[in-house]
Amino acid sequence: MAQNTINRDEDQLNRSKVEIILRLGTYLQPYKFKTFIVICLMLFVMIVGILNPYLLKVAIDTNIKNNDVKGLMVIGGVLLVLNYLAMMSSRIRWTMISSVTNNILVNIRHELYTHIQKLSFTFFDNRPVGKILARVMGDVNALQNLFNQSIQTLIPELLSLVCVTVVMFILNVKLALASVLILPFLAAAMFYIETRARKRWDVYRKKRSNLIAFIHEDFSGIKVVQSFAKEKDKEKDFKEKVSELMGAFMKAVKLNDFFWPLVELSWGVGTVVVFYVGYKLVMSEEIEVGTLIAFSMYIGMFWRPIMNLSNFYNTLISNFSAADRIFDIMDIDPDIISQENAQPIGHINGEVRFNNVTFGYDGNSTVLRNINFTINPGEKIALVGATGAGKTTIVSLLSRFYDPTNGEILVDGKNIKNVDLESYRSQMGIMLQDTFLFSTSIMENIRYGKLDATDEEVIAAAKAVHAHDFIMKMEKGYDTDVNERGSRLSLGQRQLISFARALLANPRILILDEATSNIDTHTEKLVQNGIETLLEGRTSFVIAHRLSTIRDCDKIMVIGNGNVEESGTHEQLLQLKGHYYKLYMAQYSFINDGA
């Protein structure tokens, strides 16, 4: 898939209307009973509505004509009771419809969110986060009217239209034929509008997604924007995005607005035709006046469901794009999943072996070529090399964020592709340079490593990595909120909290990817003992550009040109006077020059 940006419209598969409707209909399955009750209530209301003109016809043509006061009062009483019950039924159905619709939206959003969490990093690499949020929130919300009208409009209005049509043909065939005469022309016009309106709504939702992605990116990087005084430039970009969105919306709405006038015009023309034919029939004494009055009421009841169905069709067209965008995500199969019948890996001892591992992020370039190495349980391994050499790629493959293009990765002799993914990753600890903290308390951020940990265990982990002292200086101690992404803490403090979180998780394989790069020299000295505690008894991979932090590793591997160019202890590599020696001397010389 091509890389996506906030300025590029997303690719989207346009599914057929039938496929979308059938797929959305599956979300009604758990609510079949409630939907059945709602339909029954609607049928009752519809039947009462159909009976009203007929009872009025009887009252005029029979009771009033024959001066039957008692019969007229009976009909009046029946009408009052039926319409009162119909009113109560309408209130009950509205409550039930709201409940069903909201539950369906919750289910769709939960299913979409759960599915996205299972997708591989490739999915997130190719999409700005804002565009993912647009689908989870905006596109799901767009389906609310669709489900509401599906339950309260589509089924009852179709039934009402059929029933009214049958009654009209029973009353008089000629008048009924006059009523439906214009329908083929209306259907053709609506189909013509629909084929163009759907494309315009697709464009609108893509522009809306671009705007949300822009806003998310802009506010996420607000410190950079303000530090470079680029607020005016961003404001200009924002106005352009809003203008594109407004233009796309207006184009879509202008076309959709043809639906109502078209139906109303057809209604008016159809009514004129019916009254013209009715006048001829009354004058020729083929029908009575009461029949024509009743039929005039049925004309309204005939066109009202057509109006409501056209409104539903309009809603359907404007929301097809939202459904397509949701199903686009749901139809993406996760690249990294547990194989069928995968077994739990069991307790990990920590032996790691790369056998002829080759990998590239796309089909055009290769990052790693035939990587081979073996790490014994409990060893501390350092990965060094130039930026982009493939150090992070190695630990990403070990974490099974990606699968090798060729070769295999074994942990305790088991291919990690063949074991249960959750059982494997639950025994790994990964600490990155850009430490992520949740917008909650320090206590809960550390406890994320072990959700059932007691407060005492959390505090013990913080003390082990020397985070306890600065935490206790905060106004609420461990209950202090760190704000979004830990923005109220320094970079070093965030790293210390992440160390405590990793220690609490007690992983069998630990990965430190530039995890000490944001800690100042004083803090680094304090945390070294904590790191030693963290690494003790675990197979550890340490990526660091600051070579002084990896001198005590059991093995140092120099990564370059997609291969392991050198491997050995600090002293052994210095004696080789190869790549590591040059890196070390260059860094040592830089420090001396700075001093």
Short mmCIF file of all heavy atoms in Angstrom, two decimals, residues 356-384:
data_model
loop_
_atom_site.label_atom_id
_atom_site.label_comp_id
_atom_site.label_asym_id
_atom_site.label_seq_id
_atom_site.Cartn_x
_atom_site.Cartn_y
_atom_site.Cartn_z
N ASN A 356 19.64 -17.08 9.19
CA ASN A 356 19.53 -16.57 7.80
C ASN A 356 18.35 -15.61 7.62
O ASN A 356 17.57 -15.73 6.68
CB ASN A 356 19.41 -17.74 6.82
CG ASN A 356 20.63 -18.63 6.83
OD1 ASN A 356 21.76 -18.15 6.84
ND2 ASN A 356 20.39 -19.94 6.85
N VAL A 357 18.23 -14.66 8.55
CA VAL A 357 17.10 -13.74 8.54
C VAL A 357 17.35 -12.61 7.55
O VAL A 357 18.36 -11.91 7.62
CB VAL A 357 16.84 -13.17 9.94
CG1 VAL A 357 15.80 -12.06 9.88
CG2 VAL A 357 16.37 -14.28 10.88
N THR A 358 16.41 -12.45 6.62
CA THR A 358 16.42 -11.34 5.66
C THR A 358 15.10 -10.60 5.78
O THR A 358 14.04 -11.21 5.94
CB THR A 358 16.59 -11.87 4.22
OG1 THR A 358 17.86 -12.53 4.12
CG2 THR A 358 16.54 -10.74 3.20
N PHE A 359 15.17 -9.27 5.70
CA PHE A 359 13.93 -8.50 5.88
C PHE A 359 14.04 -7.16 5.17
O PHE A 359 15.09 -6.52 5.13
CB PHE A 359 13.66 -8.24 7.37
CG PHE A 359 12.46 -7.37 7.62
CD1 PHE A 359 11.17 -7.87 7.48
CD2 PHE A 359 12.63 -6.04 7.97
CE1 PHE A 359 10.08 -7.06 7.70
CE2 PHE A 359 11.53 -5.22 8.19
CZ PHE A 359 10.25 -5.74 8.05
N GLY A 360 12.90 -6.72 4.61
CA GLY A 360 12.75 -5.38 4.03
C GLY A 360 11.35 -4.87 4.31
O GLY A 360 10.40 -5.65 4.33
N TYR A 361 11.22 -3.57 4.54
CA TYR A 361 9.91 -3.00 4.86
C TYR A 361 9.00 -2.91 3.64
O TYR A 361 7.80 -2.78 3.76
CB TYR A 361 10.08 -1.61 5.48
CG TYR A 361 10.65 -1.66 6.88
CD1 TYR A 361 12.00 -1.43 7.11
CD2 TYR A 361 9.84 -1.96 7.96
CE1 TYR A 361 12.53 -1.47 8.38
CE2 TYR A 361 10.36 -2.02 9.25
CZ TYR A 361 11.71 -1.77 9.45
OH TYR A 361 12.22 -1.84 10.71
N ASP A 362 9.57 -2.99 2.47
CA ASP A 362 8.77 -3.04 1.24
C ASP A 362 9.52 -3.91 0.24
O ASP A 362 10.61 -4.40 0.51
CB ASP A 362 8.49 -1.63 0.68
CG ASP A 362 9.77 -0.84 0.45
OD1 ASP A 362 10.68 -1.37 -0.20
OD2 ASP A 362 9.86 0.30 0.95
N GLY A 363 8.93 -4.08 -0.90
CA GLY A 363 9.54 -4.98 -1.88
C GLY A 363 10.72 -4.40 -2.63
O GLY A 363 11.37 -5.11 -3.40
N ASN A 364 11.04 -3.12 -2.39
CA ASN A 364 12.08 -2.47 -3.17
C ASN A 364 13.43 -2.39 -2.47
O ASN A 364 14.45 -2.14 -3.12
CB ASN A 364 11.64 -1.03 -3.53
CG ASN A 364 10.36 -1.03 -4.34
OD1 ASN A 364 10.16 -1.89 -5.20
ND2 ASN A 364 9.47 -0.09 -4.07
N SER A 365 13.46 -2.57 -1.16
CA SER A 365 14.73 -2.44 -0.43
C SER A 365 14.82 -3.50 0.64
O SER A 365 13.81 -3.95 1.19
CB SER A 365 14.86 -1.05 0.19
OG SER A 365 13.80 -0.82 1.11
N THR A 366 16.06 -3.89 0.96
CA THR A 366 16.31 -4.89 1.99
C THR A 366 17.12 -4.25 3.11
O THR A 366 18.16 -3.65 2.86
CB THR A 366 17.08 -6.09 1.42
OG1 THR A 366 16.29 -6.68 0.37
CG2 THR A 366 17.33 -7.13 2.50
N VAL A 367 16.63 -4.35 4.33
CA VAL A 367 17.31 -3.75 5.48
C VAL A 367 18.31 -4.72 6.09
O VAL A 367 19.43 -4.34 6.44
CB VAL A 367 16.28 -3.31 6.54
CG1 VAL A 367 16.98 -2.70 7.76
CG2 VAL A 367 15.29 -2.31 5.94
N LEU A 368 17.92 -5.99 6.21
CA LEU A 368 18.79 -7.02 6.78
C LEU A 368 18.99 -8.14 5.76
O LEU A 368 18.05 -8.52 5.06
CB LEU A 368 18.17 -7.60 8.07
CG LEU A 368 17.89 -6.60 9.20
CD1 LEU A 368 17.20 -7.32 10.36
CD2 LEU A 368 19.17 -5.94 9.69
N ARG A 369 20.21 -8.68 5.73
CA ARG A 369 20.53 -9.74 4.76
C ARG A 369 21.20 -10.90 5.47
O ARG A 369 22.30 -10.74 6.00
CB ARG A 369 21.44 -9.21 3.65
CG ARG A 369 20.88 -8.06 2.84
CD ARG A 369 21.88 -7.58 1.79
NE ARG A 369 21.38 -6.41 1.08
CZ ARG A 369 21.54 -5.17 1.52
NH1 ARG A 369 22.16 -4.94 2.66
NH2 ARG A 369 21.06 -4.16 0.82
N ASN A 370 20.55 -12.02 5.50
CA ASN A 370 21.13 -13.28 6.03
C ASN A 370 21.81 -13.09 7.38
O ASN A 370 22.98 -13.41 7.58
CB ASN A 370 22.13 -13.85 5.03
CG ASN A 370 21.48 -14.23 3.71
OD1 ASN A 370 20.36 -14.76 3.69
ND2 ASN A 370 22.15 -13.94 2.61
N ILE A 371 21.05 -12.54 8.32
CA ILE A 371 21.56 -12.33 9.68
C ILE A 371 21.59 -13.66 10.43
O ILE A 371 20.59 -14.39 10.46
CB ILE A 371 20.69 -11.32 10.44
CG1 ILE A 371 20.79 -9.94 9.78
CG2 ILE A 371 21.10 -11.24 11.91
CD1 ILE A 371 22.10 -9.25 9.96
N ASN A 372 22.72 -13.97 11.06
CA ASN A 372 22.87 -15.20 11.85
C ASN A 372 23.56 -14.86 13.17
O ASN A 372 24.63 -14.25 13.17
CB ASN A 372 23.70 -16.24 11.11
CG ASN A 372 22.97 -16.83 9.91
OD1 ASN A 372 22.17 -17.75 10.04
ND2 ASN A 372 23.25 -16.27 8.73
N PHE A 373 22.95 -15.23 14.27
CA PHE A 373 23.62 -15.13 15.57
C PHE A 373 22.83 -15.93 16.60
O PHE A 373 21.64 -16.22 16.41
CB PHE A 373 23.81 -13.68 16.04
CG PHE A 373 22.53 -12.91 16.25
CD1 PHE A 373 21.77 -13.07 17.40
CD2 PHE A 373 22.09 -11.99 15.30
CE1 PHE A 373 20.60 -12.35 17.60
CE2 PHE A 373 20.93 -11.26 15.48
CZ PHE A 373 20.18 -11.44 16.64
N THR A 374 23.48 -16.28 17.68
CA THR A 374 22.85 -17.02 18.78
C THR A 374 23.17 -16.32 20.10
O THR A 374 24.34 -15.98 20.36
CB THR A 374 23.35 -18.47 18.84
OG1 THR A 374 23.01 -19.12 17.61
CG2 THR A 374 22.70 -19.22 20.00
N ILE A 375 22.15 -16.11 20.91
CA ILE A 375 22.29 -15.48 22.21
C ILE A 375 21.88 -16.48 23.27
O ILE A 375 20.80 -17.08 23.20
CB ILE A 375 21.43 -14.21 22.31
CG1 ILE A 375 21.69 -13.27 21.13
CG2 ILE A 375 21.66 -13.51 23.64
CD1 ILE A 375 23.11 -12.82 20.99
N ASN A 376 22.71 -16.66 24.27
CA ASN A 376 22.41 -17.59 25.36
C ASN A 376 21.50 -16.94 26.39
O ASN A 376 21.47 -15.71 26.52
CB ASN A 376 23.70 -18.06 26.02
CG ASN A 376 24.58 -18.85 25.06
OD1 ASN A 376 24.09 -19.66 24.28
ND2 ASN A 376 25.89 -18.61 25.12
N PRO A 377 20.75 -17.75 27.14
CA PRO A 377 19.85 -17.20 28.16
C PRO A 377 20.60 -16.32 29.15
O PRO A 377 21.68 -16.66 29.62
CB PRO A 377 19.28 -18.44 28.84
CG PRO A 377 19.39 -19.51 27.81
CD PRO A 377 20.64 -19.22 27.05
N GLY A 378 20.02 -15.16 29.44
CA GLY A 378 20.59 -14.26 30.44
C GLY A 378 21.68 -13.35 29.94
O GLY A 378 22.17 -12.50 30.69
N GLU A 379 22.10 -13.48 28.69
CA GLU A 379 23.16 -12.62 28.17
C GLU A 379 22.64 -11.21 27.87
O GLU A 379 21.49 -11.03 27.48
CB GLU A 379 23.77 -13.22 26.91
CG GLU A 379 24.71 -14.38 27.17
CD GLU A 379 25.48 -14.80 25.93
OE1 GLU A 379 24.94 -14.63 24.81
OE2 GLU A 379 26.62 -15.28 26.08
N LYS A 380 23.55 -10.26 28.05
CA LYS A 380 23.24 -8.87 27.74
C LYS A 380 23.96 -8.51 26.45
O LYS A 380 25.20 -8.50 26.40
CB LYS A 380 23.67 -7.96 28.89
CG LYS A 380 23.30 -6.51 28.67
CD LYS A 380 23.44 -5.68 29.95
CE LYS A 380 24.88 -5.62 30.41
NZ LYS A 380 25.05 -4.69 31.56
N ILE A 381 23.19 -8.19 25.42
CA ILE A 381 23.73 -7.95 24.08
C ILE A 381 23.54 -6.49 23.71
O ILE A 381 22.46 -5.92 23.90
CB ILE A 381 23.02 -8.84 23.03
CG1 ILE A 381 23.04 -10.30 23.48
CG2 ILE A 381 23.66 -8.67 21.66
CD1 ILE A 381 24.41 -10.85 23.74
N ALA A 382 24.57 -5.87 23.17
CA ALA A 382 24.47 -4.50 22.69
C ALA A 382 24.49 -4.49 21.16
O ALA A 382 25.25 -5.24 20.54
CB ALA A 382 25.63 -3.67 23.23
N LEU A 383 23.66 -3.67 20.58
CA LEU A 383 23.63 -3.48 19.12
C LEU A 383 24.06 -2.05 18.84
O LEU A 383 23.44 -1.09 19.33
CB LEU A 383 22.22 -3.72 18.58
CG LEU A 383 21.61 -5.10 18.84
CD1 LEU A 383 20.18 -5.15 18.29
CD2 LEU A 383 22.44 -6.19 18.21
N VAL A 384 25.11 -1.89 18.05
CA VAL A 384 25.60 -0.56 17.71
C VAL A 384 25.74 -0.46 16.20
O VAL A 384 25.78 -1.47 15.49
CB VAL A 384 26.96 -0.26 18.39
CG1 VAL A 384 26.83 -0.33 19.90
CG2 VAL A 384 28.03 -1.22 17.90
#
